[in-house]
Amino acid sequence: MEFDSGPGASDTPAPERPTGRRGRIVMLVCNGVVGDSRVQKTARSAAEAGWEVTLLGRSPDGRPASWRIGPAQVRLLPVPTPLAHPPRTARRPLLTRPLAYRPGTAPYRVQRVKAWRDELRTRRAALTAGAAATGALARSRRPSPVALPRAAARLVRPYAAARLALPRAAARLVQRWVGFRTRQLDRRTALRGTGTLLDRAAVAWWQRTLKERCWRRLWPSLYDFELAYGRVVDELRPDIIHAHDFRMLGVGARAKIRAAAEGRPVKLVWDAHEYLPGVRPWQNDVRWLPAHLAHEREYVPCADAAVTVSGTLAALLRSSHRLAEEPAVVLNAPEQHTTRRSSCEAREGAADSAVPSLRALCGIDTDTPLVVYSGAAAPQRGLDTMVEALPALPGVHTALVVPKPAAGYPRELLARAAALGVADRLHVLPYVPYWQVVPFLTEADAGAIPLHHWTNHEIALITKFFEYAHARLPLVVSDVKTMAATTLETGQGEVFRAEDTADYVRAVRAVLDDPERYRAAYERPGLLERWTWEAQARALDRIYTQLLQSAAQERRDHQEQPEGDRNADLCGGAREDRTAAGRPVRGQGTPRDGRGHRRTRGGERQRQGGALPR
């Protein structure tokens, strides 16, 4: 990747559209882009197909950054989140835990009482040291060099203990009181996930009164993304907005509404990476999921096209949102030529372009059996099953390729491996760039996907499934619905019962005993060709092209409207004529006039395409 700009990038005016470009696409994602292979491949392939692509992501360190992925421009924006800390999170839970500390106070109190007890220990040691010094002085005048210092110390220690007895007892008592109040706060915080009766009543009230708009009360932090991204999207003046996942859907929809008010038809693509009702809440709060569900329901009607990651998820989205047609399926498959590097990537240097050796990083030779897992590290991913199985698989090594090897969960896995006596056979490694993943994995003997039974695990063919396939690895897959069915249909691996260590051991032994039997499945004509990003990119390109043609037709239709027509204010020329004549324009108006905005949004909902509710 080539960095080409820094702070202040978000303030740069949008450049003029280059001659001959097919159109301008702005892609939105709420992460730092690096590590999200689907987002990176989408941006790069669209740019290489002739679209002018700007990918906006969230800066992980709060500083603007910019680089390129092939011809696509990436910009990371700071996203301040003051709305993520509403006043209710700082209040003391007087009704449910009246003795609990106010949030934020407990750490100070705990540390303060620890400092007090440490001070008393130091004072007691100082008194004892003073007694020893007195004995040392007396020793120079007495014939016995050892007995007198000890005697002097024995005389002073009871005095020191008596002098500090009351403060030490008080410190112990205060520490217990602080600990009790801290535990009360911890229990209240733990209840936030399921919610107290008052929490659940508040959620139900806002859902009933505001319906889809209730997220504004339940989770106002979604506005933080709008405030960080919205102005930048408007400056870029896109023809198409591609919103990745549920948080960015609202940002894209609101940008589309503002563009329509200016007479610029903008098309919105919603890329649903996950089924939101099946997502494990990112924060332990009973408000999180209802708020995000309402946010998604409000803005899905604004999408002109929807795409997703599997046929099963497409059917669920159509049913839950009552879409007029099923979302297009765009698999997160690897590029067919994964070792290909763009010229700007190659300029980083030959050392970075070389694919690292998986076995060298593990410190093993080619004859050592190696099972690999590549992906996010979390308890519901089933990595503990792989660790627990190592004692029953003598000589077999396991490599976990995860985003943050030093994070808490990977450290727990390493500690568990050490307790089992197999730490030398567990290797936790960092991610490699997405274009290196497939050749990096080819050195393994099998690829594991030990997922637990969660809704989103049941319905998806996840990224690592295709990466393992292109690396021609025999698979060991838990019995989550879609991946297990595909694995059994193609014959590319074994299926085991999720969270069943003994059955996982059986499956690993089966694929390691006869790997060529499972590798033969990849020789089926057309199988891997169908599972390539190039095939998925062509489908996306067709969607973009159709949307751009539709926008052009809308623009022509608006231009043909007479000036007196009620929609004339959506046409750029009519707006200019009306403004020059000094007449008000709907959608522009005075600073306090919001009528045009509301009417425009209603009009836009009547003109939706593929994602229109029935």
Side-chain angles (χ1 to χ4, degrees):
M1 298 177 183
E2 180 185 3
F3 288 82
D4 56 10
S5 63
S10 61
D11 298 327
T12 305
E16 294 297 325
R17 184 171 306 160
T19 304
R21 303 295 287 182
R22 299 174 63 185
R24 181 173 293 169
I25 299 175
V26 172
M27 298 185 181
L28 309 175
V29 65
C30 69
N31 58 39
V33 177
V34 176
D36 193 329
S37 61
R38 181 181 181 87
V39 169
Q40 293 180 73
K41 289 181 293 190
T42 302
R44 176 174 175 168
S45 61
E48 290 178 343
W51 299 93
E52 182 185 346
V53 177
T54 301
L55 171 58
L56 301 181
R58 179 183 183 179
S59 172
D61 58 7
R63 293 180 295 180
S66 180
W67 70 87
R68 289 189 178 274
I69 302 176
Q73 177 78 22
V74 179
R75 291 170 60 180
L76 298 187
L77 307 176
V79 183
T81 57
L83 294 177
H85 308 285
R88 64 178 174 82
T89 62
R91 297 190 188 111
R92 181 180 300 167
L94 292 176
L95 295 179
T96 56
R97 305 280 174 177
L99 296 178
Y101 279 121
R102 186 187 304 275
T105 302
Y108 172 83
R109 296 295 184 188
V110 169
Q111 197 74 349
R112 190 73 181 86
V113 76
K114 286 181 179 179
W116 184 16
R117 295 200 67 183
D118 184 75
E119 173 67 17
L120 292 174
R121 281 192 294 269
T122 304
R123 287 174 60 188
R124 188 180 185 191
L127 289 171
T128 303
T134 302
L137 180 61
R139 183 178 58 189
S140 63
R141 303 174 183 175
R142 300 258 182 182
S144 174
V146 176
L148 193 56
R150 290 181 179 175
R154 281 197 298 270
L155 290 174
V156 179
R157 281 174 189 161
Y159 167 75
R163 182 178 176 183
L164 297 177
L166 185 60
R168 291 178 66 207
R172 283 196 299 269
L173 183 61
V174 171
Q175 187 171 40
R176 290 174 183 173
W177 175 245
V178 168
F180 170 75
R181 297 188 68 183
T182 301
R183 287 192 297 274
Q184 292 288 298
L185 177 62
D186 291 342
R187 287 169 186 166
R188 172 63 183 89
T189 303
L191 282 174
R192 190 175 293 163
T194 55
T196 63
L197 180 61
L198 186 61
D199 291 329
R200 293 194 295 271
V203 170
W205 167 259
W206 291 119
Q207 286 179 312
R208 185 176 183 84
T209 55
L210 296 181
K211 301 189 184 305
E212 286 81 5
R213 297 172 58 84
C214 70
W215 64 267
R216 293 163 173 80
R217 290 287 185 174
L218 297 178
W219 209 260
S221 182
L222 287 165
Y223 271 122
D224 288 326
F225 293 91
E226 165 68 23
L227 297 173
Y229 285 71
R231 188 177 298 275
V232 180
V233 177
D234 294 344
E235 290 173 353
L236 290 170
R237 300 176 66 83
D239 298 301
I240 296 171
I241 298 173
H242 186 139
H244 288 273
D245 232 342
F246 49 89
R247 274 187 170 172
M248 292 295 103
L249 176 60
V251 177
R254 294 160 79 93
K256 172 183 174 177
I257 291 168
R258 291 191 298 272
E262 296 178 358
R264 292 187 294 110
V266 173
K267 295 300 180 179
L268 176 62
V269 178
W270 173 39
D271 195 335
H273 297 187
E274 295 181 289
Y275 183 55
L276 185 53
V279 168
R280 183 176 183 178
W282 295 357
Q283 293 189 31
N284 185 34
D285 195 310
V286 71
R287 294 167 173 81
W288 190 94
L289 189 57
H292 285 79
L293 288 171
H295 177 264
E296 184 176 87
R297 285 196 304 271
E298 179 176 359
Y299 291 115
V300 161
C302 294
D304 300 284
V307 299
T308 191
V309 297
S310 74
T312 309
L313 180 51
L316 279 173
L317 292 174
R318 183 178 185 182
S319 173
S320 59
H321 291 294
R322 303 179 64 192
L323 303 182
E325 59 186 40
E326 204 160 277
V329 176
V330 177
L331 304 173
N332 192 17
E335 292 179 339
Q336 190 167 10
H337 305 292
T338 54
T339 57
R340 176 174 59 86
R341 304 284 302 279
S342 67
S343 59
C344 62
E345 289 162 348
R347 282 199 296 269
E348 293 184 42
D352 183 62
S353 63
V355 178
S357 168
L358 175 60
R359 288 183 175 271
L361 292 175
C362 294
I364 58 176
D365 57 29
T366 57
D367 296 326
T368 303
L370 177 62
V371 180
V372 69
Y373 168 88
S374 174
Q380 65 269 24
R381 301 282 178 145
L383 304 189
D384 55 326
T385 301
M386 300 180 69
V387 175
E388 296 289 340
L390 283 173
L393 295 168
V396 176
H397 285 239
T398 291
L400 307 178
V401 184
V402 299
K404 298 179 180 179
Y409 184 56
R411 290 203 309 270
E412 292 175 12
L413 295 174
L414 288 169
R416 180 56 182 160
L420 294 172
V422 294
D424 60 323
R425 294 194 283 124
L426 178 65
H427 313 278
V428 181
L429 307 174
Y431 271 2
V432 297
Y434 79 89
W435 60 83
Q436 294 182 347
V437 171
V438 171
F440 180 69
L441 296 176
T442 54
E443 293 187 352
D445 295 296
I449 307 178
L451 301 178
H452 293 178
H453 288 292
W454 283 73
T455 302
N456 276 307
H457 294 168
E458 304 286 349
I459 62 179
L461 289 173
I462 58 180
T463 306
K464 65 180 66 61
F465 180 90
F466 300 111
E467 292 170 343
Y468 293 165
H470 279 270
R472 287 175 164 74
L473 298 182
L475 303 188
V476 179
V477 180
S478 64
D479 56 346
V480 290
K481 183 177 179 181
T482 302
M483 275 184 291
T486 305
T487 300
L488 294 175
E489 177 190 353
T490 59
Q492 64 194 103
E494 288 287 329
V495 175
F496 70 96
R497 290 184 296 274
E499 303 185 64
D500 188 329
T501 302
D503 203 32
Y504 171 80
V505 170
R506 174 201 58 79
V508 170
R509 286 174 176 166
V511 298
L512 293 181
D513 288 345
D514 190 8
E516 295 308 316
R517 168 192 167 192
Y518 303 97
R519 294 182 193 273
Y522 300 122
E523 303 303 323
R524 180 187 299 182
L527 178 64
L528 292 182
E529 287 76 7
R530 193 169 70 249
W531 291 347
T532 62
W533 180 253
E534 285 77 6
Q536 314 310 312
R538 287 192 291 271
L540 266 178
D541 189 71
R542 286 193 294 270
I543 293 171
Y544 294 152
T545 302
Q546 292 167 2
L547 291 178
L548 192 64
Q549 292 171 350
S550 174
Q553 183 60 45
E554 284 185 20
R555 194 176 295 109
R556 286 193 294 269
D557 291 344
H558 293 161
Q559 289 173 347
E560 292 171 2
Q561 294 284 350
E563 185 182 355
D565 185 83
R566 65 182 182 90
N567 287 328
D569 58 294
L570 296 181
C571 173
R575 282 175 55 89
E576 292 171 4
D577 295 340
R578 288 179 144 217
T579 304
R583 287 179 285 172
V585 180
R586 285 200 307 274
Q588 181 175 322
T590 63
R592 296 184 181 180
D593 183 10
R595 292 175 297 170
H597 182 85
R598 290 195 293 272
R599 291 179 183 177
T600 300
R601 188 176 72 177
E604 280 298 304
R605 288 199 176 196
Q606 296 175 6
R607 292 194 294 272
Q608 301 307 321
L612 179 68
R614 289 184 293 217

